[in-house]
Amino acid sequence: MTLSDERRELLALLAARKATTPGQQRFWRLNQADPADPAYSWPWALRLPGPVDEPRLRRALDVVLDRHEILTSAYDWDDGNLWQVNAPRPELQVVDTDVQTALREDNLRPFHLGSEPPLRMSLLPDDVLLVNVHNIASDGWSMRVLVDELTRAYRGEDLPEPGLPYHRHAARQRSWLASRRAEQEMAYWRRRLTGLEPRNGRSRESTVERVDVDAEVAGKVRQLGRAAKATPFMTMFALFAKLHGERSGSHDVAIGTSVSGRAPDEERTIGYFVNRVVLRMNTRGEDLDLVRRARTTAVEAFAHATVPFEHVVERLFPAEYLAAAPLVDVMFVFDTGGAAVVEPEYRTSKFSLVVNVKPDANGYVIEAHHPKGAPHGVLRDYARLLKGLTT
């Protein structure tokens, strides 16, 4: 059978369309409302071993782009669905600006996701590469994959087999959402989140505070966790939840955290996989009981963490769907490592507080991200609470 030109064109168009996830659909709608919202733009800078061979760097970038089609895609909303479609290939720009100025300016520059890829790259003075990927196409794990593959390609090394293409992850997730298991997870979240008062945050310039927790205090944390049969994450979370309850004046606390959202065949895939999970618990009681309760809360929540957070919000709290920080505006993250990048002085956040705990050789480094100019002292109080532990 011979196909007509129109039929061929239609089939080619359909083949070029690729599935998207609920998370991408929410980012798309937020981007349409405000393309310049800096909370969804994620610039970072990597200091390269100089002097940089620019043609070699461009070839290395092409290798990475060839492996991750999501970095060369735009988006099209049609017939009630968002599709990933082809876009002009992003190109490396050479910019004569200092790194902090470049990070701030790129963060505030709009992304037009309907006509351009979600990636920008600039080579700055002193052999610094600036990379900005919109949240619709990336997460923290993806950043590490990108740095690793770019570094290997620049050195001329062989790269590991690529992961599952992101659009196939999206199609797999869409199919799973129609399953009985997905409805069971939704029923769990309906029960857990009933009566939760939503938080409607907004994107604001933020600042970062840091505190070091020494080995002695970290040892107390581990000992308390062992007594409660809890992981360091569960223990540190329980103590932070206690503090948050005291500061907010409520024993019913709901705090967000993140899970990777990746299957084993997606570990080398760049895309937005990370899933937000709401941990809701009562903070009354002694520390040991509290850590045990946090363990139970976390185990149950993580067992129901396959359903995308955006899907939960859209189904259960539709009025919150386009809020900057739906349901929870406080996040607690236990970070096990990341790429060594130049830290931006200018940051934006959609949360009123993000606490990031990073284990190191001597204990923990704890960071608090909160709106610039807002009185906080949360790290001071948290460090005092940890030091006062008795075991």
Side-chain angles (χ1 to χ4, degrees), residues 118-167:
L119 168 67
R120 294 195 290 259
M121 301 169 292
S122 303
L123 184 60
L124 307 179
D126 301 320
D127 304 312
V128 172
L129 178 68
L130 185 148
V131 180
N132 192 354
V133 190
H134 192 279
N135 256 162
I136 201 171
S138 188
D139 56 18
W141 188 309
S142 296
M143 183 181 76
R144 294 192 284 272
V145 173
L146 178 56
V147 171
D148 176 65
E149 293 191 356
L150 179 61
T151 302
R152 293 192 192 195
Y154 184 75
R155 292 172 179 164
E157 299 173 2
D158 292 333
L159 272 62
E161 284 295 314
L164 188 79
Y166 188 81
H167 74 273

Side-chain angles (χ1 to χ4, degrees), residues 192-193 196-197 199 237 240-241 244-245 248 250-257 277-283 327-332:
R192 289 297 297 158
L193 302 178
L196 182 65
E197 183 179 344
R199 305 287 182 179
F237 168 76
F240 173 72
H244 181 57
S248 65
S250 173
H251 291 293
D252 179 15
V253 303
I255 299 169
T257 193
V277 176
V278 180
L279 300 179
R280 186 181 185 186
M281 59 179 286
N282 189 290
T283 60
L327 305 190
V328 290
D329 66 350
V330 174
M331 292 286 292
F332 182 88

Side-chain angles (χ1 to χ4, degrees), residues 72 139 146 152 159 169 199 205-206 333 354 368:
T72 61
D139 56 18
L146 178 56
R152 293 192 192 195
L159 272 62
H169 159 78
R199 305 287 182 179
E205 185 174 353
S206 62
V333 181
V354 178

Side-chain angles (χ1 to χ4, degrees), residues 8 39 70 133 144 181 230 234 288 301 339:
R8 264 196 216 91
I70 195 170
V133 190
R144 294 192 284 272
R181 175 59 187 169
M234 296 169 183
L288 184 58

Side-chain angles (χ1 to χ4, degrees), residues 178-334:
S179 70
R180 181 180 178 184
R181 175 59 187 169
E183 284 304 313
Q184 290 172 340
E185 289 201 9
M186 285 297 303
Y188 168 82
W189 290 114
R190 185 177 288 107
R191 292 192 303 271
R192 289 297 297 158
L193 302 178
T194 295
L196 182 65
E197 183 179 344
R199 305 287 182 179
N200 190 352
R202 60 186 178 86
S203 300
R204 291 162 287 183
E205 185 174 353
S206 62
T207 189
V208 180
E209 298 177 25
R210 292 180 179 86
V211 66
D212 293 325
V213 174
D214 62 29
E216 181 182 354
V217 175
K220 291 181 178 181
V221 171
R222 287 191 295 270
Q223 190 171 347
L224 176 60
R226 284 194 294 268
K229 298 181 180 180
T231 65
F233 162 79
M234 296 169 183
T235 309
M236 296 287 280
F237 168 76
L239 298 170
F240 173 72
K242 175 182 178 180
L243 173 64
H244 181 57
E246 292 172 353
R247 290 169 62 92
S248 65
S250 173
H251 291 293
D252 179 15
V253 303
I255 299 169
T257 193
S258 298
V259 295
S260 74
R262 292 171 183 260
D265 60 353
E266 297 163 344
E267 291 185 356
R268 301 296 309 184
T269 304
I270 290 176
Y272 180 73
F273 289 90
V274 67
N275 197 23
R276 193 178 309 165
V277 176
V278 180
L279 300 179
R280 186 181 185 186
M281 59 179 286
N282 189 290
T283 60
R284 289 186 175 90
E286 299 299 322
D287 289 345
L288 184 58
D289 291 334
L290 192 60
V291 176
R292 287 171 175 156
R293 197 176 308 135
R295 180 195 63 198
T296 301
T297 299
V299 168
E300 289 181 355
F302 294 155
H304 298 84
T306 306
V307 63
F309 175 74
E310 295 82 6
H311 188 70
V312 172
V313 175
E314 188 175 25
R315 287 274 302 272
L316 304 184
F317 297 87
E320 286 286 296
Y321 184 70
L322 293 181
L327 305 190
V328 290
D329 66 350
V330 174
M331 292 286 292
F332 182 88
V333 181
F334 201 81

